[in-house]
Amino acid sequence: MSEQPDESDRERRPPPARLPEEGVVYVAPGSLFADPSGDSVTLPELWRIVWSRKGTIVVVTLLFAMASVVYALLAEEIYRSEVLLMPSDEQSSPVVGGQLGGLAALAGVDVGRGDQRVEALAVLRSRDFAREFIADYNLLPVFFADRWDENAQRWVVENPDDAPDLRDGVRYFHKSVYDVEEDSSTGLVTLSIEWHDPDTAALWAEALVGRVNDRLRERALQEAQTNVSYLQAEMGRTSLVAMQQSIGQLLQTEMQKLMLARGNEEFAFKVVDPAVPPKERERPKRTLIVILGTLLGGALSVAGVLLAGVGRRADAA
């Protein structure tokens, strides 16, 4: 017959361990939070390391600050001139629908409004537009002045194939000089030029606006004149009164288009805010450069001092 534990044994026996209801318990060795010597590095010790090498930190920080000042003073100044533009509605002729619109489509005559704003923006951003501007103003020697001999009027390159051409000029122009931005909410367009001379930046910005208006106006004039000549010829060939009336309405529309193009200098874009030579430079931001350079020097010097101090402490242990 087995012996039953008495009540006193149950009271002395410790209760069974209970597992946690949720989560997982991880046990990490204490050496994980200690340095290789077995002793943890405390904040007071780090402060003592920094304080003991404060002279080094001050010198390095001052060197970075001085280098930042020199760079900020020697960096080339860039000015930004902007023109605010609004797409013009007068470049489009009235919408023609119904049978008249079908007749125009069969004849190859475009009398609808179309999306002229998209066309104008596409021209502004096109490489061909930039290529013509660079060629007409002879800007390659200006863009790549470090490789151009002004006295000899030639490129200073060993290999003639390395001389900049219009492709290089267009790439530099779009990357570093010229920018076109459209505000989708208002439809306004901002054309900007960044250059080291403020007067030149404003001159180029105004010239580009004039060129895009002239280019699109000339294109519209040529198209309208072609359509007028075609419609006049077709009217002379037909004897049907109804057809002559329809062609007459199309002809009237094209004549209106001709008048709008000839009498409107701001054919594609209206200038809302013209370009002016900027007074303040766009960059460099000298104050910001000096502040960031000083902070960088201080951070790097403190990090270097701490790493060196902890390394020496580990070697000594």
Side-chain angles (χ1 to χ4, degrees), residues 140-141 144-150 152-165 168:
L140 284 180
F144 306 102
D146 56 335
R147 286 181 276 177
W148 176 256
D149 188 343
E150 184 65 27
Q153 292 292 303
R154 63 180 180 86
W155 295 107
V156 184
V157 291
E158 297 181 358
N159 187 352
D161 295 335
D162 295 334
D165 56 16
D168 301 313

Side-chain angles (χ1 to χ4, degrees), residues 203-251:
L203 177 65
W204 288 355
E206 289 291 340
L208 286 165
V209 175
R211 290 175 72 91
V212 70
N213 279 326
D214 291 342
R215 181 168 182 168
L216 290 175
R217 183 173 61 250
E218 290 298 325
R219 179 183 298 179
L221 284 172
Q222 291 177 4
E223 292 178 354
Q225 188 61 54
T226 300
N227 293 339
V228 167
S229 299
Y230 174 81
L231 291 171
Q232 288 175 342
E234 288 297 316
M235 181 175 289
R237 293 191 187 102
T238 183
S239 59
L240 298 176
V241 176
M243 184 65 70
Q244 289 179 347
Q245 291 177 348
S246 298
I247 293 177
Q249 293 181 32
L250 288 174
L251 188 59

Side-chain angles (χ1 to χ4, degrees), residues 94-165:
V95 177
V96 178
Q99 296 180 352
L100 190 60
L103 176 62
L106 291 175
V109 178
D110 181 14
V111 295
R113 287 182 60 90
D115 199 348
Q116 303 288 351
R117 179 181 58 85
V118 174
E119 179 187 6
L121 283 173
V123 171
L124 273 179
R125 292 168 173 164
S126 66
R127 290 189 297 269
D128 183 63
F129 182 68
R131 189 182 300 113
E132 288 186 359
F133 178 74
I134 294 170
D136 291 346
Y137 278 73
N138 192 27
L139 295 181
L140 284 180
V142 179
F143 290 164
F144 306 102
D146 56 335
R147 286 181 276 177
W148 176 256
D149 188 343
E150 184 65 27
N151 296 326
Q153 292 292 303
R154 63 180 180 86
W155 295 107
V156 184
V157 291
E158 297 181 358
N159 187 352
D161 295 335
D162 295 334
D165 56 16

Side-chain angles (χ1 to χ4, degrees), residues 51 59-60 80 82 177 205 226 250 253 258 266 269 292 304 311 314:
W51 185 252
V59 171
V60 173
R80 182 184 182 93
E82 296 181 343
V177 179
T226 300
L250 288 174
T253 300
L258 277 173
E266 295 183 334
F269 292 103
L292 293 178

Side-chain angles (χ1 to χ4, degrees), residues 62-95:
L62 287 177
L63 288 176
F64 270 79
M66 293 173 61
S68 301
V69 171
V70 173
Y71 172 78
L73 292 177
L74 295 180
E76 185 180 38
E77 294 184 342
I78 299 297
Y79 295 86
R80 182 184 182 93
S81 182
E82 296 181 343
V83 185
L84 186 62
L85 306 172
M86 180 177 64
S88 176
D89 294 332
E90 296 181 0
Q91 58 177 309
S92 302
S93 55
V95 177

